[in-house]
Amino acid sequence: MPVIALIIIGAAAGFLATRLMRIESDIPTTMLIGIVGALVGGFLLRALATMMGWLSGFVGAVLGALLVIWIWQAIRRR
C-alpha cells in the first residue's frame, strides 16, 4: 500500500475509530491512531486484503485502530 494511501485510509480509520470508541482527540492524534491501526490491521488481515481488495484494507484499518485505542485506554487507566 503506498504511503499516501496509508495516510488517507489511516486518517479516515482513525476518525471512525475515535468516534466509535467515543474518544475526543486532536487531529494529529487521530491520524496517528488511524495509521498505527492501519499497520496493525494490515498485518492481521493481509490474506483477506489479497482476496477482497481495498475495502477489506479499510475494515482492517478500522479494526486495528479500535485495538490501538483499546490498548491506549487500558494503559492510561493504570
Side-chain angles (χ1 to χ4, degrees):
M1 183 176 279
V3 175
I4 301 295
L6 176 66
I7 291 171
I8 292 170
I9 290 174
F15 175 78
L16 184 60
T18 55
R19 296 307 169 252
L20 288 173
M21 297 291 285
R22 293 182 175 89
I23 299 291
E24 293 296 325
S25 63
D26 55 0
I27 293 172
T29 303
T30 300
M31 288 179 67
L32 180 65
I33 288 170
I35 291 169
V36 171
L39 290 173
V40 170
F43 286 126
L44 294 176
L45 298 175
R46 183 172 296 241
L48 182 61
T50 58
M51 291 184 279
M52 299 296 289
W54 71 271
L55 183 59
S56 64
F58 180 71
V59 171
V62 171
L63 292 176
L66 290 172
L67 179 65
V68 169
I69 290 172
W70 181 75
I71 292 170
W72 180 41
Q73 286 181 335
I75 291 172
R76 284 183 57 200
R77 288 185 194 143
R78 290 184 184 180

